[in-house]
Amino acid sequence: MSLPPVVVIGAGLVGASIGCALTAAGYPVHLRDAKISHARVAASLGAGTVDPPVTADVDLVVAAVPPVALPDVIAHALHSYPQATVTDVGSVKAAVLDTLWRRELDLGRYVGSHPMAGSQYSGPMTARADLFVDRSWVITPHRRSRPESVARVSELVRTCHAREIVMDVEDHDAAVARVSHLPHLMSVLMAGHLNQVPENHLLLAGQGLRDVTRIAGSDPGLWVQIVAANSAAVLPELRSIQARLAEVIMAIESRSAADTLREQLQRGVEGTRRIPGKHGTAPVAYSQVVIEIPDTPGALGRLFADVGKAGINVEDISIEHDQARQVGYLSLAVTPEQEPELITTMTDRGWTVV
Amino acid sequence: MSLPPVVVIGAGLVGASIGCALTAAGYPVHLRDAKISHARVAASLGAGTVDPPVTADVDLVVAAVPPVALPDVIAHALHSYPQATVTDVGSVKAAVLDTLWRRELDLGRYVGSHPMAGSQYSGPMTARADLFVDRSWVITPHRRSRPESVARVSELVRTCHAREIVMDVEDHDAAVARVSHLPHLMSVLMAGHLNQVPENHLLLAGQGLRDVTRIAGSDPGLWVQIVAANSAAVLPELRSIQARLAEVIMAIESRSAADTLREQLQRGVEGTRRIPGKHGTAPVAYSQVVIEIPDTPGALGRLFADVGKAGINVEDISIEHDQARQVGYLSLAVTPEQEPELITTMTDRGWTVV
């Protein structure tokens, strides 16, 4: 039995990658783009065909166009493909839905969604079927969404091997304000500040500055649409940062910086530990394996040789001393998965694991 | 002729890596650390020996200890090694120098320096001789530094294959406030904010958030020393960010966000373009190679196949159409080094490069 055709409107990175994933799963995919050449690039990469579908057969339309174009494209798709569930991949949901409500459309077949993948390069050239594998993909049903349409979008998420998260639109928009739009604006503020920095000072820039400012290099035309569309959710986050920043500045001005700084820096460390791992796993908390070592030069060399032979990747190290017993305690930080192997290996080689 | 001995005080990542580079170049290196085991770890990695030197022979001492310990260690080294040039690798220079001046020491043999390398892991375990290769290394002579001592530190920089930059201490401290301490605090503010974000919202976190917050995971104990020591230089940078942030917030509040946002986002893009490349080279500005293509489906497929065969890494792509002539213009962004090869390859294969 052949699978029903899908229409992907917008052959940028996200649209073309969805096309690749659906094509790989056996769906006939029909690509459309305001620039036919973009659709052709995507087609040449295996994302589908540029031939038009039989409209009555289409059972899913994916709108993967810039935020400002979404309401028109969604409304048009609902009209043009009367049997199809229509979804979009926009990064802000409430503003689009509000616009659609105001047009008094029957939105039963519309279910918004948002795959958490993509990059600053927005063209189809880097499209690939596995772009969404193990990534979060939010589905945002509204009060009139039909259950079968929600199920159809769920199936899309599964076909792309992404992880489905169901949220209402307001919750989604608050979440992306916090984990995406605010970090973007922080990166932009920092990068924008570099325009005031003399060139010879920039020679001292290291990887840290590059990391903090990387996303600020993204397309301003797209981001002004995103942030403006979600400004209501972004505003309280910015005000919260503003309050913390004022605290830091006041602490430095009053020369009582150390305690406030320490508290903020500690909060920062705790915040980084809350971010889930790359594939939605728990944040990496390294396991500490503590090994007793005689306090002699040769001992450490032998120990590291044994760790090295075991092929274990040591992330950090610290040493404590027991002056009375003339031994040391070497603490090795390794990923939790490597912990049992390290303990076994070192015990087998005659070391005492504490 | 044997090279004169060097003493490295502090066998963390930076000290141990300097030891490795000096040892590789033939210098006898003597490692010292408040924790002898740290020195032994460094020694086991080829950074030198833990045996004491003949003090009168020592001609260079490198203080690679945490900021708060620097004045005492430098003062002690000037006293203990009467023939030696003494340098440090601290990330803030004026505060240490001021403290030393107040002690009324003869500072002729002291010349501060600051290699722009290291990582959030501060132990010796990841030390390597090539840590500083092609990295900037600032030398900050003061008004009493002897020329021969400045020359000795220059030689250290050359031995580590780093790029020497000479600055006065105030200029250095302003530079690191801008390219290191401010980005660190921005990262900390963002990461600290995550403590207020519900866990299910964090499931939507992507690489952007990880990049922006990565350095906030660094040791707060070290960073409170660094920022507190350089607070005078950091303060005006924070105030400048505060002013920009207030502008963004006011623009969103007054619902005139789009123009202000666009301006800030554009400033951000321009700022990222000012950061030099990894090895001090110019920022990466991709070259655009424009190729004429017949407006037929097969043409694009063939073109990409040819680009692929050439082994060229295409960073971005855009297509423009000439409706009248039924041709398109495909613009490929590649690194400037790959540009001539791409042009030659495509011309050889029969394409018209515009």
Side-chain angles (χ1 to χ4, degrees):
Chain A
M1 200 182 91
S2 67
L3 293 165
V6 176
V7 170
V8 174
I9 305 171
L13 173 63
V14 172
S17 294
I18 291 172
C20 290
L22 288 169
T23 300
Y27 287 91
V29 175
H30 300 267
L31 300 162
R32 286 181 44 195
D33 197 292
K35 290 184 176 174
I36 180 66
S37 300
H38 276 200
R40 284 178 180 160
V41 170
S44 75
L45 293 165
T49 170
V50 294
D51 299 336
V54 178
T55 56
D57 295 345
V58 173
D59 99 319
L60 178 66
V61 177
V62 180
V65 297
V68 290
L70 277 174
D72 283 345
V73 167
I74 293 165
H76 191 260
L78 287 167
H79 178 78
S80 304
Y81 304 99
Q83 307 302 320
T85 289
V86 177
T87 190
D88 70 299
V89 297
S91 46
V92 178
K93 311 302 333 170
V96 170
L97 190 60
D98 288 350
T99 305
L100 292 170
W101 284 131
R102 280 198 296 274
R103 297 191 187 177
E104 299 184 355
L105 297 163
D106 174 5
L107 297 181
R109 288 183 287 118
Y110 168 67
V111 181
S113 83
H114 180 203
M116 307 309 295
S119 90
Q120 65 197 89
Y121 299 112
S122 51
M125 187 72 180
T126 52
R128 52 198 176 87
D130 65 353
L131 185 67
F132 311 102
V133 173
D134 287 336
R135 299 298 190 102
S136 296
W137 189 321
V138 186
I139 301 182
T140 55
H142 55 82
R143 65 184 189 276
R144 295 279 172 80
S145 296
R146 289 184 197 159
E148 58 269 32
S149 288
V150 177
R152 184 64 195 87
V153 179
S154 275
E155 194 188 316
L156 169 68
V157 173
R158 275 195 306 278
T159 304
C160 293
H161 301 288
R163 292 164 186 250
E164 176 184 306
I165 298 175
V166 178
M167 285 182 169
D168 66 37
V169 290
E170 287 74 22
D171 206 27
H172 167 274
D173 286 1
V176 291
R178 290 161 175 162
V179 304
S180 172
H181 308 170
L182 179 65
H184 195 90
L185 290 174
M186 294 293 280
S187 182
V188 164
L189 284 171
M190 182 61 234
H193 188 69
L194 297 179
N195 293 295
Q196 295 162 239
V197 175
E199 208 158 318
N200 69 323
H201 287 190
L202 291 169
L203 290 174
L204 277 58
Q207 192 55 41
L209 180 65
R210 288 190 189 92
D211 285 350
V212 172
T213 59
R214 185 184 62 83
I215 52 176
S218 306
D219 179 15
L222 179 66
W223 274 93
V224 74
Q225 292 178 36
I226 292 172
V227 177
N230 203 28
S231 57
V234 170
L235 196 52
E237 311 303 320
L238 285 172
R239 287 203 188 106
S240 173
I241 291 285
Q242 187 177 39
R244 294 277 174 192
L245 177 58
E247 280 175 35
V248 172
I249 289 174
M250 279 176 55
I252 295 180
E253 284 171 339
S254 67
R255 297 180 179 281
S256 65
D259 285 350
T260 304
L261 276 176
R262 194 184 310 276
E263 186 193 320
Q264 299 281 352
L265 290 162
Q266 191 55 48
R267 273 177 55 84
V269 171
E270 284 155 19
T272 62
R273 291 191 180 143
R274 298 198 67 214
I275 305 174
K278 284 210 176 184
H279 300 291
T281 55
V284 176
Y286 293 117
S287 301
Q288 301 290 334
V289 175
V290 179
I291 300 170
E292 189 181 302
I293 39 168
D295 202 1
T296 55
L300 271 167
R302 286 198 309 277
L303 189 146
F304 292 129
D306 286 347
V307 172
K309 277 180 217 149
I312 305 251
N313 188 27
V314 175
E315 302 289 343
D316 203 3
I317 184 177
S318 62
I319 301 178
E320 291 304 324
H321 258 300
D322 183 334
Q323 295 294 355
R325 285 187 55 215
Q326 288 290 309
V327 297
Y329 297 100
L330 184 75
S331 179
L332 301 172
V334 296
T335 58
E337 305 88 71
Q338 291 197 304
E339 183 187 354
E341 191 187 337
L342 178 61
I343 293 172
T344 308
T345 304
M346 298 313 283
T347 308
D348 286 354
R349 289 171 190 266
W351 299 93
T352 302
V353 177
V354 181
Chain B
M1 200 181 92
S2 67
L3 293 165
V6 177
V7 171
V8 175
I9 305 172
L13 173 63
V14 172
S17 294
I18 290 171
C20 290
L22 288 169
T23 300
Y27 287 92
V29 175
H30 298 267
L31 300 162
R32 287 182 43 194
D33 197 293
K35 291 183 176 175
I36 180 66
S37 300
H38 275 200
R40 285 179 180 159
V41 171
S44 76
L45 293 165
T49 170
V50 295
D51 299 337
V54 178
T55 55
D57 295 346
V58 173
D59 100 319
L60 179 66
V61 177
V62 180
V65 297
V68 289
L70 277 174
D72 283 346
V73 167
I74 293 165
H76 190 261
L78 287 168
H79 178 78
S80 305
Y81 305 99
Q83 307 303 319
T85 289
V86 177
T87 190
D88 70 299
V89 296
S91 45
V92 179
K93 311 303 330 172
V96 170
L97 189 60
D98 288 349
T99 306
L100 291 170
W101 284 132
R102 281 198 296 272
R103 296 192 187 176
E104 299 184 356
L105 298 163
D106 174 6
L107 296 180
R109 288 183 287 118
Y110 168 67
V111 181
S113 83
H114 181 202
M116 308 309 294
S119 90
Q120 65 197 89
Y121 299 111
S122 50
M125 187 72 180
T126 52
R128 54 201 175 86
D130 65 353
L131 185 67
F132 310 103
V133 172
D134 287 337
R135 297 299 188 103
S136 295
W137 189 320
V138 185
I139 301 182
T140 54
H142 55 82
R143 64 183 190 277
R144 294 277 172 80
S145 297
R146 289 185 198 157
E148 58 270 31
S149 288
V150 177
R152 183 63 193 87
V153 178
S154 274
E155 193 188 317
L156 169 68
V157 173
R158 275 195 306 278
T159 304
C160 293
H161 301 288
R163 292 162 186 251
E164 176 184 307
I165 298 175
V166 178
M167 285 183 170
D168 66 37
V169 290
E170 287 73 22
D171 206 26
H172 167 274
D173 286 1
V176 289
R178 289 160 176 164
V179 304
S180 172
H181 307 169
L182 179 66
H184 196 90
L185 290 174
M186 294 293 278
S187 182
V188 164
L189 284 170
M190 183 61 233
H193 187 69
L194 297 179
N195 293 295
Q196 295 162 238
V197 175
E199 207 158 317
N200 69 322
H201 287 189
L202 290 168
L203 290 174
L204 277 58
Q207 192 55 41
L209 180 64
R210 290 191 188 90
D211 285 350
V212 171
T213 59
R214 185 184 63 83
I215 52 176
S218 307
D219 180 15
L222 178 67
W223 274 92
V224 74
Q225 292 178 36
I226 292 172
V227 177
N230 204 27
S231 57
V234 170
L235 197 52
E237 310 305 319
L238 286 172
R239 288 203 189 106
S240 173
I241 291 286
Q242 187 177 39
R244 293 279 174 190
L245 177 58
E247 280 174 36
V248 172
I249 290 175
M250 278 176 55
I252 295 180
E253 284 171 340
S254 68
R255 297 178 179 282
S256 66
D259 284 351
T260 305
L261 276 175
R262 194 185 311 275
E263 187 193 317
Q264 299 281 350
L265 290 161
Q266 191 55 48
R267 272 178 53 85
V269 171
E270 284 155 18
T272 62
R273 291 192 181 141
R274 297 199 66 215
I275 305 174
K278 285 209 176 186
H279 301 291
T281 55
V284 175
Y286 293 115
S287 300
Q288 302 289 335
V289 175
V290 179
I291 300 169
E292 188 180 302
I293 38 167
D295 201 0
T296 54
L300 271 167
R302 288 198 308 277
L303 188 146
F304 292 128
D306 286 347
V307 172
K309 276 179 218 150
I312 304 250
N313 189 28
V314 175
E315 301 289 344
D316 203 3
I317 184 178
S318 62
I319 302 179
E320 291 303 323
H321 257 299
D322 183 335
Q323 296 293 353
R325 285 187 56 216
Q326 288 291 311
V327 297
Y329 298 99
L330 184 75
S331 178
L332 300 172
V334 296
T335 58
E337 305 88 71
Q338 293 198 303
E339 184 186 356
E341 191 187 338
L342 178 62
I343 293 172
T344 308
T345 304
M346 299 312 283
T347 309
D348 287 352
R349 288 170 190 266
W351 299 94
T352 303
V353 177
V354 182

